[in-house]
Amino acid sequence: MRYNLIINPMQRVRALVDQPDGWQPRHFAVAPFGGLLSTWLWVSYGPDWAQIDNFGVLFYGALAVALEGGYQMFYAISKRRRDINAAEDRGRQEGLTTALDTLTARLKDDPDVNPMTVIAELRAQSQNHRQP
């Protein structure tokens, strides 16, 4: 019985809030009441707090962003960083493969050449942005 009284309403609220589509109408309908409630809470806390009653709207805005998926922003930033790191790793792997293939081809063409000379030539070409 307690489960249904406590958990079920919370799950319904979560299902209502955690929808990617339709958050604009929900926010438009709730924003005046949320700003009013949070401002009233700041003012009713005491006369010293009434001087900063404009924090009520800021507090509501921060709460609304958190409830509407502010956590997804941090997830998106971390996913973007993971994607960039994966692309850099792929680029390094492709560059290494290309360099090793070029080195192998040069050593096959002239087996008597010093490998350090070929590596030095490849480095000089890559620093000059020329393709080997």
Side-chain angles (χ1 to χ4, degrees):
M1 182 71 172
R2 281 190 179 174
Y3 177 81
N4 287 334
L5 289 176
I6 297 171
I7 301 299
N8 200 13
M10 294 301 291
Q11 289 175 344
R12 286 183 185 170
V13 168
R14 182 173 175 240
L16 178 68
V17 171
D18 196 23
Q19 293 178 2
D21 299 328
W23 65 268
Q24 294 94 345
R26 281 195 316 267
H27 182 70
F28 182 75
V30 175
F33 302 107
L36 180 66
L37 177 65
S38 60
T39 302
W40 176 76
L41 288 173
W42 278 91
V43 171
S44 66
Y45 194 67
D48 295 335
W49 291 90
Q51 295 175 0
I52 54 172
D53 61 347
N54 55 351
F55 279 123
V57 175
L58 295 175
F59 178 75
Y60 169 73
L63 183 66
V65 166
L67 289 177
E68 290 173 357
Y71 62 91
Q72 292 175 355
M73 174 183 64
F74 298 107
Y75 172 76
I77 290 171
S78 66
K79 184 172 181 337
R80 177 79 173 141
R81 182 74 252 165
R82 284 192 308 265
D83 292 346
I84 290 171
N85 288 343
E88 288 175 350
D89 291 342
R90 282 193 306 272
R92 283 188 199 100
Q93 189 64 32
E94 290 172 6
L96 179 62
T97 303
T98 303
L100 289 175
D101 290 345
T102 305
L103 181 62
T104 303
R106 294 279 297 272
L107 291 175
K108 278 185 181 178
D109 290 343
D110 189 9
D112 295 331
V113 71
N114 184 0
M116 296 307 286
T117 306
V118 175
I119 292 172
E121 290 173 6
L122 291 174
R123 278 191 180 154
Q125 288 176 355
S126 69
Q127 288 174 355
N128 293 331
H129 301 292
R130 288 184 288 175
Q131 293 293 333

